[in-house]
Amino acid sequence: MANVEFKTLNNGEKMPFIGIGTWQASDEEIETAIDAALEAGYRHIDTAPVYGNEQAIGRVLKRWLDAGKVKREELFIVTKLPPVANGPSDVEPTIKKSLADLQLSYVDLYLIHTPFSLYTNEDGSFKLDEEGLMTPDLRTNHAATWVEMEKLVAEGLAKSIGVSNFDKEQVGRLLKSAKIRPATNQIEHHVYLQQRELVDFCKAEGIAITAYSPLGSRGIAAFNAAAGLVRDLPDLIEIPVVKEIAAAHGKTPAQVLLRWIIDTGVIAIPKSTNAGRLRENLNVFDFKLTDAEVAKLLALDQDLRVCDFAFFHGVERHPEFRFKNQYTK
């Protein structure tokens, strides 16, 4: 089993620096991947209702827990309050549905998945307006939802609570009323989108950063295409400087990109369903980057967002939507 290091959160809970992301994987793929990840030594698993795989993950966790191959307290399970159900009244029923699907009595971390909200129809499909655009739910109230999130901690349904995709202003506004400070802010973070001002602000406030898409996200191109979007997205693994640093250390480019992230105290959740890459992604604690190498990676920042939420066309009209994409003015 690979050696794993931990980040101590602002409430004293310990979160593994490397977890497995699970977006865009079929049930069969995710069951195989979670089995392989647990065998490799992963204990941090990140999921969400909108990924559609909580039941599959729950089946694997139950097998491992029932067989005594892992103890519940050794796992760090993260799930989220979805964009289509993030009002105050949604919090408790939504986490209870996730817990039933995951076959767990609590999660280690529960996040508000996005700062914006969307309407759905009774059948769960997105509600579209007369122009065929998704309809934003303008009732979003972070402070009111956070009150209900805090109750989950008191009730033992979540050990920690946090946010995802929040910008500096949104985090700062939430802190003004929060009794429990967010433990983490999960954001897109990689060498091409470093978001240093946001990262530094959260760190100063004692809020850990979790990096999603830390290796970019080659899979999102297909996801965008299915939504009728065509974007030319770079492959971070092929960046010449990254390949050069990897060769110097006898490591893969992915390992270099992950080492750069965790060296700054940021947690990373790379997604893979390949057993070999899963092991590689976890095997990043036995080398260090030089100051010169870190400087080269810092210089790569392009403010290039891979997940720009353009696939939620219409939500850019929500006042809490802060991302730039082809539909924003």
Side-chain angles (χ1 to χ4, degrees):
M1 182 186 295
N3 179 46
V4 178
E5 296 181 8
F6 296 83
K7 174 79 172 179
T8 300
L9 303 178
N10 58 22
N11 58 0
E13 296 292 333
K14 294 185 181 300
M15 184 174 182
F17 264 110
I18 298 290
I20 176 174
T22 62
W23 186 35
Q24 296 189 79
S26 68
D27 276 12
E28 183 179 354
E29 283 179 320
I30 207 61
E31 286 201 45
T32 302
I34 297 299
D35 257 325
L38 290 169
E39 288 285 1
Y42 286 81
R43 294 297 180 262
H44 170 187
I45 299 169
D46 182 272
T47 184
V50 296
Y51 302 167
N53 57 28
E54 288 180 315
Q55 289 185 354
I57 291 171
R59 289 192 292 269
V60 179
L61 295 179
K62 180 171 173 55
R63 287 200 301 269
W64 276 69
L65 290 164
D66 286 353
K69 296 172 70 175
V70 69
K71 297 177 181 177
R72 175 62 187 92
E73 58 269 25
E74 295 172 341
L75 297 170
F76 197 98
I77 308 300
V78 184
T79 193
K80 309 175 187 79
L81 187 69
V84 296
N86 63 11
S89 63
D90 298 314
V91 174
E92 186 171 346
T94 303
I95 193 174
K96 286 185 173 178
K97 173 65 164 61
S98 287
L99 290 172
D101 288 344
L102 292 165
Q103 301 190 56
L104 299 173
S105 61
Y106 69 90
V107 291
D108 297 273
L109 178 60
Y110 197 56
L111 306 177
I112 299 176
H113 202 155
T114 62
F116 54 79
S117 314
L118 287 161
Y119 277 115
T120 54
N121 298 309
E122 288 186 9
D123 64 0
S125 61
F126 289 108
K127 185 176 182 179
L128 305 180
D129 64 15
E130 62 279 1
E131 297 177 25
L133 304 180
M134 294 184 187
T135 309
D137 180 352
L138 304 182
R139 299 171 299 171
T140 304
N141 184 327
H142 299 156
T145 295
W146 194 253
V147 170
E148 300 305 312
M149 295 282 286
E150 291 173 331
K151 291 178 182 178
L152 302 180
V153 178
E155 295 167 3
L157 299 178
K159 286 197 168 186
S160 304
I161 51 176
V163 296
S164 180
N165 295 302
F166 276 47
D167 71 6
K168 178 180 175 181
E169 187 277 329
Q170 289 164 335
V171 173
R173 189 180 352 131
L174 185 60
L175 287 173
K176 291 178 181 178
S177 61
K179 294 179 180 177
I180 299 176
R181 296 170 76 82
T184 66
N185 185 11
Q186 185 181 121
I187 61 172
E188 182 177 337
H189 177 69
H190 45 73
V191 290
Y192 275 177
L193 183 70
Q194 299 184 19
Q195 302 204 77
R196 292 182 211 163
E197 184 179 356
L198 175 58
V199 170
D200 289 346
F201 172 77
C202 287
K203 285 183 177 180
E205 295 291 344
I207 300 168
I209 293 290
T210 300
Y212 71 74
S213 299
L215 308 177
S217 183
R218 287 171 285 186
I220 204 170
F223 187 83
N224 280 338
L229 302 169
V230 178
R231 285 182 67 205
D232 184 21
L233 295 173
D235 188 344
L236 305 189
I237 303 298
E238 295 298 324
I239 298 173
V241 169
V242 175
K243 295 171 77 171
E244 172 190 308
I245 295 171
H249 290 275
K251 291 290 185 177
T252 67
Q255 288 171 321
V256 167
L257 293 169
L258 292 172
R259 182 74 236 189
W260 171 76
I261 287 172
I262 63 175
D263 269 348
T264 60
V266 173
I267 299 150
I269 47 169
K271 179 253 179 177
S272 181
T273 56
N274 177 281
R277 285 194 292 271
L278 282 167
R279 290 190 297 271
E280 285 180 359
N281 290 346
L282 198 60
N283 186 24
V284 293
F285 298 102
D286 60 350
F287 75 106
K288 294 281 285 184
L289 301 174
T290 68
D291 290 345
E293 289 167 341
V294 170
K296 289 180 180 179
L297 295 173
L298 286 171
L300 293 174
D301 195 7
Q302 298 182 15
D303 195 29
L304 192 156
R305 187 178 297 277
V306 172
C307 183
D308 64 5
F309 293 95
F311 45 77
F312 283 162
H313 188 17
V315 77
E316 66 274 2
R317 299 172 294 178
H318 196 292
E320 299 286 3
F321 187 89
R322 305 292 172 81
F323 308 99
K324 296 176 183 177
N325 65 33
Q326 65 202 71
Y327 302 122
T328 57
K329 295 179 181 179

